[in-house]
Amino acid sequence: MGVKFTGLRSGMKFKVIVCLFLGLVSHAFAQTKGSIVYVPPSDDFVSIELQEFKGLPRLGVMDNYGARNVNPRGGVRVGDRNSAQLEKSKMVADGRNAFSLLVSLKYVKPFMGDLDRQSLTTVKGNMSKTEANSAFLQRFLLSQVAPNLCLNDDCRNTGRGNNEFERLRNYKTFVDKFLEPLLKWSQQVFMNGEWLIYHVSTLNIGGNYDFDRGGYWVYHSLVLNDIFPMRQGVMKRVVFEPLSPYEQALVNKLENPKGAPFFLQMDAQTAEDFKKKGNNRLYLVKKIKLRPLDKELGDPTEPIEFGYSHETPDLEIYTDQGLTEHYRTLLMNDLTLKN
């Protein structure tokens, strides 16, 4: 299978390894150094680039390429970074946004029959359900899909125009030429009903060291609201669905099923070295399987729900955001939980 690169920005040309990525899309994808690129169906649309870890997409806390301070929810506070690093960070953020929009398109497709393709729906009181759906879908397509998934000017301009006549022509051009290819592309997401990824979260070790026990009490959230950007596309919820015995055993021990407070053993010298370096957080990596829940949406504004489970009980801990400095491996079924 050949891989066609389209829409890649300058400065990001790497040696390409061609592979099949089962479970996400059947379309061609290319793996580059530190990235996975999902190739669009034509030059009219953007390539979607996600960060990679051990051959799978990396989501959650991202590598911001040299940023000294990182918001656990994925935002960036710039430290000393050069233009290439800034460009890479922007490309990763754009890729996550674009992928989230593609997922949204997949799940709102059943409501596209309500979309008025000939005129722009006016928001008013006492709208019918069909009119309300049309207004929502038009706003979604014009304000999010076209600006973020299109490269072709006719596609990107769908929400623009100097007057109502020009805006309507641009909208109809988008619907006639670009909407169906985008919808078809979106249907390739989760074709096999699941998505295997690595999720990265932070462990805060900025509090006081526990000299009696020798380590830190840390908290690991089991609610993964950082896989999909919250403001891109239809709202998405990701909930923990324990399937294996070790996952169920963990949940049975927790007072609150949304998170696991546990004790992280660490010798005093290592802890002091971290403090001297200003390193107040570690990075926890786990391999998870994400699957859409079989819940039919009542309307296109409802959240899309996903469940996830762990592929292994391993919780890998790294000291750096780039995940190059491995600290230790914990087992989910062997955590010392806080009572």
Side-chain angles (χ1 to χ4, degrees):
M1 171 186 285
V3 173
K4 178 183 178 183
F5 276 97
T6 59
L8 288 177
R9 296 188 177 102
S10 60
M12 295 297 294
K13 294 180 179 178
F14 299 103
K15 183 178 179 180
V16 176
I17 305 172
V18 180
C19 309
L20 275 178
F21 183 60
L22 299 178
L24 178 60
V25 296
S26 62
H27 227 68
F29 106 95
Q31 183 174 329
T32 71
K33 184 180 179 182
S35 300
I36 291 176
V37 180
Y38 302 98
V39 182
S42 76
D43 293 342
D44 294 327
F45 310 115
V46 299
S47 296
I48 297 177
E49 180 164 346
L50 299 179
Q51 283 185 341
E52 172 269 347
F53 182 67
K54 295 183 180 180
L56 294 176
R58 164 187 171 162
L59 292 170
V61 177
M62 309 306 293
D63 181 2
N64 286 304
Y65 306 106
R68 292 178 177 176
N69 299 292
V70 181
N71 185 321
R73 293 184 179 274
V76 182
R77 180 180 169 187
V78 177
D80 295 330
R81 295 190 293 169
N82 58 38
S83 59
Q85 291 169 326
L86 289 169
E87 182 180 356
K88 288 167 69 178
S89 289
K90 184 180 185 305
M91 184 174 293
V92 168
D94 290 346
R96 294 180 70 194
N97 290 342
F99 186 79
S100 183
L101 291 173
L102 205 62
V103 172
S104 295
L105 272 175
K106 177 183 177 72
Y107 290 100
V108 299
K109 185 178 184 293
F111 302 98
M112 285 295 171
D114 292 340
L115 181 71
D116 189 333
R117 296 171 179 245
Q118 298 303 315
S119 62
L120 293 168
T121 303
T122 302
V123 177
K124 58 183 184 296
N126 300 321
M127 299 177 71
S128 67
K129 186 173 183 179
T130 297
E131 290 174 327
N133 286 350
S134 178
F136 175 84
L137 292 169
Q138 286 180 352
R139 185 168 61 251
F140 169 56
L141 294 172
L142 272 60
S143 65
Q144 295 198 53
V145 172
N148 292 286
L149 292 182
C150 294
L151 287 178
N152 182 294
D153 286 341
D154 289 340
C155 187
R156 292 181 60 85
N157 288 337
T158 184
R160 304 171 185 171
N162 295 322
N163 53 59
E164 65 270 33
F165 305 104
E166 187 174 347
R167 287 191 291 271
L168 179 57
R169 281 197 299 272
N170 288 340
Y171 168 68
K172 292 174 71 173
T173 296
F174 173 83
V175 169
D176 292 342
K177 292 181 60 178
F178 305 107
L179 180 56
E180 291 308 318
L182 282 170
L183 289 173
K184 185 176 180 180
W185 189 21
S186 74
Q187 298 313 294
Q188 297 169 3
V189 177
F190 294 106
M191 285 188 68
N192 295 336
E194 59 189 33
W195 191 26
L196 198 61
I197 67 171
Y198 280 100
H199 181 268
V200 184
S201 58
T202 56
L203 296 177
N204 184 7
I205 56 171
N208 290 328
Y209 183 79
D210 188 326
F211 286 94
D212 293 330
R213 289 177 174 266
Y216 291 98
W217 284 105
V218 295
Y219 180 82
H220 173 57
S221 177
L222 295 173
V223 179
L224 307 185
N225 286 331
D226 53 2
I227 289 181
F228 299 103
M230 296 296 287
R231 295 184 179 182
Q232 293 297 323
V234 179
M235 183 181 293
K236 304 170 186 68
R237 292 176 182 163
V238 180
V239 297
F240 180 35
E241 287 195 310
L243 298 179
S244 63
Y246 65 82
E247 290 175 314
Q248 193 59 58
L250 174 66
V251 171
N252 292 340
K253 295 177 184 177
L254 298 175
E255 291 185 4
N256 185 343
K258 293 184 178 181
F262 67 92
F263 194 76
L264 177 64
Q265 294 287 154
M266 183 181 296
D267 65 80
Q269 184 61 58
T270 299
E272 186 175 5
D273 290 342
F274 282 152
K275 291 252 173 148
K276 288 179 179 178
K277 295 176 182 177
N279 187 355
N280 61 2
R281 60 173 57 117
L282 300 173
Y283 299 88
L284 185 148
V285 182
K286 57 187 185 180
K287 191 177 184 180
I288 65 172
K289 185 178 290 182
L290 192 70
R291 60 183 66 83
L293 299 184
D294 293 328
K295 178 184 175 183
E296 186 175 342
L297 300 182
D299 64 67
T301 66
E302 289 186 6
I304 306 166
E305 295 192 353
F306 299 85
Y308 82 91
S309 59
H310 300 84
E311 277 291 280
T312 73
D314 295 352
L315 303 176
E316 302 286 350
I317 299 179
Y318 292 79
T319 62
D320 66 313
Q321 192 184 85
L323 308 183
T324 62
E325 300 172 6
H326 186 267
Y327 174 60
R328 64 184 304 180
T329 301
L330 302 177
L331 294 178
M332 192 175 299
N333 51 351
D334 196 30
L335 298 177
T336 301
L337 299 175
K338 196 170 187 176
N339 296 325

